Amino acid sequence: MPINIKEKTRTGVINPIFTCQPAGAQYASIGIKDCIPLVHGGQGCCMFIRLLFAQHLKENFDIASSSLHESAAVFGGVPRIEDGVMTLLQRYPHIRTIPIITTCSTETIGDDIEGTIRKLDKRIKEQMPGRKVKLVAMHTPSYSGSQVTGYNEAVEALVRTFATAGVKNEKINVFTGWVNPGDVIEIKHLLAEMGIDGNVLIDTETFDAPTMPDKSAFTYGNTTIEDLTDTANAKGSIVLAKYEGGSAADYLKSEFDVPVAMGHLPIGIKNTDAFIANLAKLSGKPVPKSLVEERGRAIDAMADLAHMFFADKKVALYGDPDLVMALAEFCLEVELKPTLLLFGDDSKQVAKDGRLKELGDKVDYEIEAIWNADLWELEEHIKNNPGDIDIIMGHSKGRYIAIDNKIPMIRVGFPTFDRAGVWKKPVIGYRGTELLAETIANTLFADMEAKHNREWVLNTW
Ligand code: SF4
């Protein structure tokens, strides 16, 4: 049945699904080793985002702010960038790159970021001879796009700045998109099983920082400047989230002739199979038995749950477009019915995405997809169609809708702060798929018990 794709008609946003573009740029930047981003704007553009990262990951990250005040609106904020960069370089001798992330106010003022970088490059050379640092312009005004486009802009800016032709290697760039550290670990596991030397961008595995005996708990990203430089020399690139890293891979293709496989987030069996097939094709390596077994275990776990507990349950999904589309495909694999998909920004590309049409072609009921949506759309849908949604899947900002309407909710995406350790657990790959199916099942079981709804089934299952 054709999918019903529409834009939210109401003016204004009530309970946004996404945060703003600089959030995506900041998330990509904290994933780079020896890097502290400088957010050029009011303090809140940095502080509120840091707070979200701390809520989600329970870790602190170094992010600087140029901290503009009223005078900058009149005279411009360039001196604040200059002061900010020089202070960072003096205080942190290890820094090798500083992304300069613009915001609503500084894009409106029209501060010349590229010109300021040229001026600063000269100043650093004169005042700090021998100091090697790259300043990277990231333009992320937040009156268009969202955290999704901001992440994409940042990854492209990093690759454009650092990618340099050198000796060709056997590595495969894997652009993960904005996924959790647990997903990155799973991607690295799949690469290791395949015997592939991967260049995972952005590698956030180290976000799970241990507290050491000396009480230090330093959190840093794991993608190095050398990794970014080497992207130009890879055997190929695989993009897992088209809207979050796709343009960086396109740049590598056009500038350095690095082949690109534009894939889907490997959630569910079909999408993980496609990722493994892309890895096998680009590397020329066979799929090992260990992965065939992992796949088999995931299918076994899904079969145990699908028909008995999941069949025909209607699911509302919201979040990043690549995540929502992959989750919807996964739902169909376990007999769940994705019926409402909400995309939280004004990207018309999403509305035209071929994956939505494919989803509609697979089902015999109507799926509604709303772009430029907010969480009020979800609330209204539930209010106007009582009993129509059985499960909500999305980040923690929708928790009150789930609580108020007594609908079981699965936490996925960013930010998830009302359940412990969500960010450590993958939804990607065969093992992530298995874990996701079990998380959904356990959420439903707890709901059955709380509502005394067929909970006796669990005695015999
Ligand atoms: S919406 Fe604009 S002003 Fe508000 S935090 Fe984001 S960048 Fe800053």
Side-chain angles (χ1 to χ4, degrees), residues 19-23 26 39-46 48-49 102-105 140-143:
T19 186
C20 54
Q21 283 213 88
Q26 288 174 66
V39 181
H40 184 38
Q43 274 193 44
C45 307
C46 164
F48 292 117
I49 306 306
T102 66
T103 56
C104 304
S105 54
T140 50
S142 217
Y143 27 76

